[in-house]
Amino acid sequence: MSETASTAVKAAPSGPDANRWKALVFIALAQLMVVLDATIVNIALPSAQQDLGISDGNRQWVVTAYALAFGGLLLFGGRIADLWGRKRAFVLGLGGFALASALGGAATNEAMMYGARALQGVFGALLAPAALSLLAVMFTDGKERAKAFGIYGAIAGGGGAVGLILGGFLTEYLDWRWTFFVNIPFAVIAAAGAYLVVREPAGGRNRSPLDIPGVVLSTLGLVALVYGFTRAESEGWGDSVTVGMFVASAVLLAAFVAVEARVAAPLLPLRVITERNRGGVYLSLGMAIIAMFGLFLFLTYYLQVVKGYSPVRTGFAFLPMVTGMIVGSTQIGTRLMTRVAPRLLMGPGFLVAALGMFFLTRLEIDTSYAGVLLPGMLLLGLGMGTAFMPAMSLATLGVEPRDSGVASAMVNTSQQVGGAIGTALLNTIAASATTAYVADHIGGATSRSQQQLVQLQGQVQGYTSAIWFAVGILVAAAAVALTLINAGRPGGTAVAASSERTVGEEQAVPVVMH
């Protein structure tokens, strides 16, 4: 056993934290706030744009400012959590997020709005990895870990759809500003609760000097990557700035890897991502998110533009997906995680989600909600919930306590980058298919109503073409999970770990062999 692993075992508390389940409530509340914010603002954007006088060309920055700060700073945020302590980073992240939300709700011009969104991203990048790493170090028993991560996985997967419902209500019946103000009570309650009940295990901090070159290279590289995909969505893949961003990102991230392999105290120890199981989780989860984020976008437009649903009705239309995620994560995943290997949940989970996506390739203008949309979204939610739950747990199981922050940050990074890729890639595919369909059929449309019908049919054709790609991506994610992930069930073979214990004893602290 390595010296570090031995130290970790000695530093472990004698028993589990008595307040761990109370702590889970406040950690889950904070995670819900962050996930809600990713979609709730989208619903409010048209109203905010009109009130603040934001042009069509600049409105994307309300979303992009958050995405760049959040995606670019996640690794740094995870390392800060390891350095300062997860509880301190968690509470500070909540306070900053609440302040930034108050600024966004009170915005009087577009500059103030962009600044508030960027600030939300900064504190979100500190908060998200701190929340996940707190779960990783507080829940070490296999069965309890399964339950805790089942709840967390359901929130991480279904919170975005809940945001659509809440955003619709707030925008339609109150004011778009409440989509920001609503974060404040979430943050205050979560911070107060965490301060009182969270007890971070001793001996888990990483007090090594901060890797400044790694921070700069990773932040700039991730910002360039996220911005490249965001710009590709609006300006096209051949745009010179888009191509330049991808090239710059590749160079910066390659330099980052080279630096991390050489420095004594790396920002992202390569052992975190080169371990086979965690690498498989990061890759398969990122691929699944690519498919998922694109679908949220298309279904929102389909329901509102093609079917004429109101924002509130659109939000409620997503409820089967949310229900499926909750059932898949808290019932199927939680009950089976200690009985079967993670790959046997993740692989089939992604395949069930692909089957749900396959249902949605049958979309037409007059498609029945009950006949196609409901079963498709229910299967998608069940599959993703079942896969998310072991993925979240496996991504941090077996990692040294001092690395739990950056390991958690990598989960969030794979989701954030996957979301940027999914939105840009699938939106481009949909736009190309729509353009081709309209060009082929508009000639036969003699009246204005026929032309409008062709336009709507073209949009639906674009959505289904992109959803077919999403089906393929989910099948590929299942293949990655089934081939790369080889860990045994948590109650059996430890993930990339070993500990000196007798048969039948629970592993007190996950440790890694070097």
Side-chain angles (χ1 to χ4, degrees), residues 95-128:
F97 202 92
L99 175 62
S101 298
L103 288 173
T108 55
N109 54 55
E110 56 184 302
M112 190 173 172
M113 171 61 76
Y114 302 151
R117 289 291 284 161
L119 203 58
Q120 278 186 314
V122 170
F123 285 103
L126 181 63
L127 173 61

Side-chain angles (χ1 to χ4, degrees), residues 64-152:
T64 303
Y66 177 85
L68 293 181
F70 187 70
L73 292 171
L74 271 167
L75 285 178
F76 183 44
R79 177 65 180 87
I80 290 295
D82 286 336
L83 179 64
W84 289 355
R86 289 107 198 159
K87 177 178 175 177
R88 185 180 299 174
F90 182 73
V91 173
L92 179 61
L94 283 166
F97 202 92
L99 175 62
S101 298
L103 288 173
T108 55
N109 54 55
E110 56 184 302
M112 190 173 172
M113 171 61 76
Y114 302 151
R117 289 291 284 161
L119 203 58
Q120 278 186 314
V122 170
F123 285 103
L126 181 63
L127 173 61
L132 183 54
S133 59
L134 276 173
L135 285 190
V137 299
M138 292 182 75
F139 290 89
T140 53
D141 173 80
K143 290 183 179 179
E144 288 194 347
R145 188 181 177 92
K147 291 178 183 177
F149 277 87
I151 294 168
Y152 188 89

Side-chain angles (χ1 to χ4, degrees), residues 329-370:
S329 195
T330 63
Q331 299 302 313
I332 301 173
T334 298
R335 293 176 187 276
L336 295 181
M337 194 178 109
T338 55
R339 301 178 184 180
V340 301
R343 69 180 181 277
L344 298 181
L345 286 173
M346 291 180 64
F350 289 140
L351 289 176
V352 170
L355 179 61
M357 282 281 192
F358 176 75
F359 261 86
L360 298 174
T361 60
R362 299 165 56 200
L363 286 181
E364 295 178 1
I365 288 180
D366 57 352
T367 292
S368 160
Y369 177 85

Side-chain angles (χ1 to χ4, degrees), residues 43 164-165 299-300 303-304 309-318:
I43 294 289
L164 295 172
I165 300 172
L299 283 186
T300 300
L303 292 169
Q304 291 195 29
Y309 283 23
S310 69
V312 171
R313 191 180 177 191
T314 299
F316 276 108
F318 279 97

